[in-house]
């Protein structure tokens, strides 16, 4: 039995909320809180007749720590699940610290205004020290470690799919299949088709900033940074087929490099079609991916936020998206002195996800692990004071829950490797 506050009501949040309501023995009460209360009310109206979970709703500005503190104190949850924007991670963590409540999220912090001088100074120091230039990293949240230890509460970072499930796969592979893992290739394939000339499968601001950033990977104890989309590979994904994939910077590389001993290289690849890449490059060339505010007819706007308003809402893609995703990790290392390679992955069908929860598979594959990570905390399976990434805990109960709650996984021995 638990009482959980869920902050956010977008595509990923709607899946996490629906899965909590399927899991009423654990989530006996939930509050859905968002800037737009009408979206929360609509979600409650849809789900309440189908579940024993008691649902309440509230309006909150997740950028406002004092508002968050007041709402948490009023509702008194056992944990807060943050499925809002990564911009709001720190304000929500501050509110959890002030109220003594456990915290779970799906993506690491990044600044909304990357031109802010105070943020920029810290960012540039990190670039020089660490060797990568992406705007998102774990340093801001890892800095909360002692505060959460002193408060006696738990923060779980990155319980989505990647990061999240891919990180748990890594811990599971190390526990059950290897004495030492030397190489990890994380492969994220979306073989779905939504029929639009251009749309993003999750929040356009976050998606386009991530994809247009410099690529990077971890090798021999340091970061190697490359031009965006400059490393391309082809891979034949089970149940999806052959796809082009490109090397990106991704945050779980940072935590896995810290937490998987003996690692020599970690890379992250994501599939893209040529139409997507062409549209994105055109938009970047004309400044539409910029986060720097501009003045337009007397009003200040941020180009990428304006673009977000023009693009289809990712939450609306469910009914028209067909095909499958395949997301997983190829691990290479040694067991009993012999070299070994395995591929752990999940295949998810967009239309099956839509039939179950009204969502396409991208939101589903993030929303389900968000529920599972929260369940690990409220049931006491992953519970100790401090700030942690998911691979720092016992992977077995999480892996068991993935099979139970809609993301079954496969272990393939001697798979096709990525050159």
């Amino acid at each position: 039995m638990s009482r959980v506050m869920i902050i956010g009501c977008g595509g990923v949040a709607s899946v996490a909320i629906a899965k909590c309501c399927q899991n009423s023995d654990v989530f006996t009460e939930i509050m859905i809180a968002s800037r737009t209360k009408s979206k929360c009310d609509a979600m409650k109206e849809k789900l309440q007749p189908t579940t024993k979970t008691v649902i309440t709703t509230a309006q909150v500005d997740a950028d406002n720590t004092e508002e968050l503190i007041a709402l948490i104190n009023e509702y008194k949850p056992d944990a807060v699940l943050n499925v809002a924007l990564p911009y709001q991670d720190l304000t929500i963590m501050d509110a959890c610290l002030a109220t003594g409540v456990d915290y779970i999220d799906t993506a690491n912090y990044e600044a909304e205004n990357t031109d802010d001088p105070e943020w920029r100074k810290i960012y540039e120091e990190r670039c020089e020290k660490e060797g990568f230039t992406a705007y998102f990293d774990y340093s801001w949240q890892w800095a909360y470690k002692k505060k959460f230890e002193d408060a006696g509460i738990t923060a779980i970072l990155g319980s989505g799919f990647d990061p999240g499930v891919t990180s748990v796969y890594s811990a599971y592979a190390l526990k059950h299949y290897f004495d030492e893992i030397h190489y990890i290739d994380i492969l994220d394939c979306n073989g779905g088709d939504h029929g639009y000339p251009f749309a993003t499968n999750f929040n356009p601001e976050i998606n386009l900033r991530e994809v247009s950033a410099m690529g990077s990977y971890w090798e021999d104890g340091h970061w190697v940074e490359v031009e965006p989309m400059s490393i391309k590979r082809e891979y034949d994904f089970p149940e999806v087929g052959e796809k082009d994939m490109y090397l990106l910077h991704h945050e779980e590389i940072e935590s896995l490099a810290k937490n998987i001993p003996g690692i020599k290289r970690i890379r992250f690849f994501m599939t893209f079609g040529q139409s997507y890449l062409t549209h994105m490059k055109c938009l970047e060339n004309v400044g539409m991916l910029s986060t720097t505010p501009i003045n337009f007819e007397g009003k200040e706007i941020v180009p990428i936020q304006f673009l977000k308003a023009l693009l289809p809402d990712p939450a609306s893609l469910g009914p028209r998206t067909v095909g499958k995703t395949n997301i997983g990790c190829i691990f290479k290392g040694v067991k009993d002195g012999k070299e070994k390679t395995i591929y752990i992955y999940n295949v998810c069908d967009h239309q099956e996800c839509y039939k179950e929860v009204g969502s396409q598979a991208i939101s589903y594959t993030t929303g389900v692990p968000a529920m599972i990570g929260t369940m690990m905390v409220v049931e006491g399976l992953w519970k100790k004071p401090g700030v942690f990434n998911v691979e720092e805990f016992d992977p077995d109960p999480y892996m068991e829950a993935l099979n139970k709650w809609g993301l079954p996984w496969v272990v393939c021995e001697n798979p096709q490797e990525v050159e």
Side-chain angles (χ1 to χ4, degrees), residues 188-210:
D188 186 328
C189 168
N190 178 17
D193 181 7
H194 47 59
Y196 286 115
F198 185 74
T200 62
N201 292 297
F202 58 95
N203 185 292
E205 275 186 80
I206 307 303
N207 179 255
L208 292 168
R209 284 168 67 155
E210 175 184 292

Side-chain angles (χ1 to χ4, degrees), residues 102-127:
D102 294 328
Y103 169 91
I104 305 98
D105 69 24
T106 63
N108 67 359
Y109 171 73
E110 56 184 285
E112 184 171 11
N113 179 10
T114 55
D115 293 313
D116 175 68
E118 186 178 344
W119 177 88
R120 195 90 199 171
K121 181 177 182 295
I122 297 169
Y123 162 75
E124 287 172 358
E125 289 172 355
R126 188 221 73 196
C127 290

Side-chain angles (χ1 to χ4, degrees), residues 149-360:
E149 287 173 350
D150 292 345
I153 56 175
T154 303
I156 303 291
L157 308 183
S159 186
F161 206 110
D162 43 347
V165 174
T166 52
S167 306
V168 176
Y169 284 173
S170 300
Y172 186 82
L174 184 60
K175 180 177 179 180
H176 294 284
Y177 287 90
F178 294 92
D179 296 322
E180 202 169 74
I181 296 173
H182 294 156
Y183 301 97
I184 303 174
D185 279 332
I186 302 162
L187 312 185
D188 186 328
C189 168
N190 178 17
D193 181 7
H194 47 59
Y196 286 115
F198 185 74
T200 62
N201 292 297
F202 58 95
N203 185 292
E205 275 186 80
I206 307 303
N207 179 255
L208 292 168
R209 284 168 67 155
E210 175 184 292
V211 173
S212 60
M214 295 283 284
S216 61
Y217 58 97
W218 180 263
E219 187 167 45
D220 297 332
H222 66 276
W223 289 96
V224 179
E225 195 163 69
V226 298
E227 289 297 317
M229 301 294 176
S230 61
I231 296 179
K232 173 187 171 183
R233 298 289 187 269
E234 294 179 359
Y235 196 81
D236 190 3
F237 289 90
E239 297 189 48
V240 177
E242 194 163 285
K243 295 287 181 183
D244 293 339
M245 61 183 189
Y246 298 82
L247 185 140
L248 301 182
H249 175 87
H250 227 244
E251 62 254 50
E252 68 264 47
I253 299 175
E254 188 182 8
S255 68
L256 290 173
K258 181 165 83 80
N259 293 322
I260 302 294
I263 196 75
K264 295 179 180 178
R265 187 185 68 204
I266 312 173
R267 302 182 296 185
F268 179 96
F269 292 91
M270 184 176 282
T271 61
F272 296 98
Q274 194 53 54
S275 175
Y276 180 96
L277 296 177
T278 301
H279 276 82
M280 189 187 74
K281 194 63 183 175
C282 290
L283 292 166
E284 185 178 30
N285 287 343
V286 298
M288 287 300 294
L289 304 190
S290 172
T291 60
T292 303
I294 63 166
N295 191 283
F296 177 72
E297 295 186 349
K299 182 176 175 61
E300 191 175 81
I301 64 168
V302 176
I304 198 168
Q305 292 178 356
F306 178 70
L307 175 62
K308 176 183 175 181
L310 296 175
L311 292 174
D313 182 349
S316 73
L317 298 178
R320 56 187 294 145
T321 305
V322 296
K324 296 179 179 181
T325 63
N326 181 315
I327 314 174
C329 303
I330 299 173
F331 301 101
K332 189 171 185 176
V334 292
K335 178 70 174 178
D336 299 328
K338 296 180 181 178
E339 198 170 85
K340 182 182 184 73
T341 305
I342 66 169
Y343 179 21
I344 308 180
Y345 64 88
N346 161 264
V347 172
C348 209
D349 186 289
H350 283 286
Q351 282 300 298
E352 291 302 315
C353 295
Y354 183 70
K355 287 174 190 172
E356 184 193 340
V357 295
S359 156
Q360 34 84 357

